[in-house]
Amino acid sequence: MENIQPDHCASSGPTDEEVQAFQTATRDLIGVALRSLEVLAGEVSLPQFRLLLALGDLGRVPSSQVAQALGLGASSVTRLADRLHASGHIVRGGEAHHRSVVTLELTERGRRLVEDVLSWRRRELSRLLSTLSPEQRAATAEGLTALHRAIDCADELVQHGPVPL
């Protein structure tokens, strides 16, 4: 049976220059993301922040769902959650009908920390994007949106979860 991809998943093969441009953009965007973590000022580690960021996206969810979203084992999430609970960044809960289910949720402190980091990123990206012409910004946004759709298609095929940073 022939494997037919939707139009937004189609590919004609990139040039080496195109791949290199995206390699450079990846490094640049990771640099922005990592610099934004300076807002944490040592309050939480990078792995702990990834968990906070996932909870910011997911809301109150079972810890097993967080583990799946981060691509981690349940025991790793439990260790991270232990530290974040002790520091007041998350609250643990449970399900009334399923005592073995442990839920995780951001506290106000955890939510504020995530918001601070994301606000820093928005300001930095706005500053950087303001150096481009409106046409360049529009073309870049359009290209990145198309890339995001392509990544979603690839993720659907290999069943990877999101890896927030």
Side-chain angles (χ1 to χ4, degrees):
M1 182 171 211
E2 186 178 337
N3 183 11
I4 300 176
Q5 293 182 329
D7 287 342
H8 65 273
C9 293
S11 173
S12 61
T15 66
D16 288 342
E17 292 79 16
E18 290 168 336
V19 171
Q20 185 56 48
F22 280 90
Q23 292 270 33
T24 300
T26 299
R27 282 194 306 272
D28 293 342
L29 290 171
I30 288 172
V32 169
L34 290 174
R35 283 193 312 276
S36 72
L37 299 179
E38 293 173 7
V39 171
L40 300 175
E43 190 172 337
V44 298
S45 67
L46 175 57
Q48 290 169 336
F49 182 72
R50 288 185 63 228
L51 190 146
L52 294 176
L53 194 57
L55 287 175
D57 289 340
L58 299 170
R60 181 180 181 268
V61 293
S63 61
S64 60
Q65 189 173 340
V66 177
Q68 182 180 10
L70 294 174
L72 297 174
S75 61
S76 295
V77 169
T78 298
R79 282 190 300 277
L80 291 170
D82 286 346
R83 293 182 203 120
L84 290 167
H85 177 74
S87 65
H89 291 92
I90 66 168
V91 64
R92 288 189 166 156
E95 297 279 329
H97 304 311
H98 302 286
R99 289 185 172 191
S100 64
V101 174
V102 174
T103 60
L104 303 174
E105 183 177 15
L106 290 176
T107 61
E108 183 55 38
R109 181 178 183 182
R111 191 173 346 280
R112 202 170 39 252
L113 190 61
V114 169
E115 288 172 3
D116 288 350
V117 171
L118 295 181
S119 290
W120 186 95
R121 286 183 191 176
R122 275 190 296 279
R123 286 189 308 273
E124 181 65 1
L125 288 170
S126 291
R127 183 186 71 78
L128 294 168
L129 289 168
S130 71
T131 66
L132 302 177
S133 71
E135 296 80 15
Q136 289 171 318
R137 286 194 303 269
T140 301
E142 183 179 332
L144 288 173
T145 299
L147 178 62
H148 179 73
R149 282 193 301 267
I151 290 168
D152 276 352
C153 287
D155 281 349
E156 288 171 10
L157 296 174
V158 291
Q159 297 298 312
H160 288 289
V163 182
L165 176 63

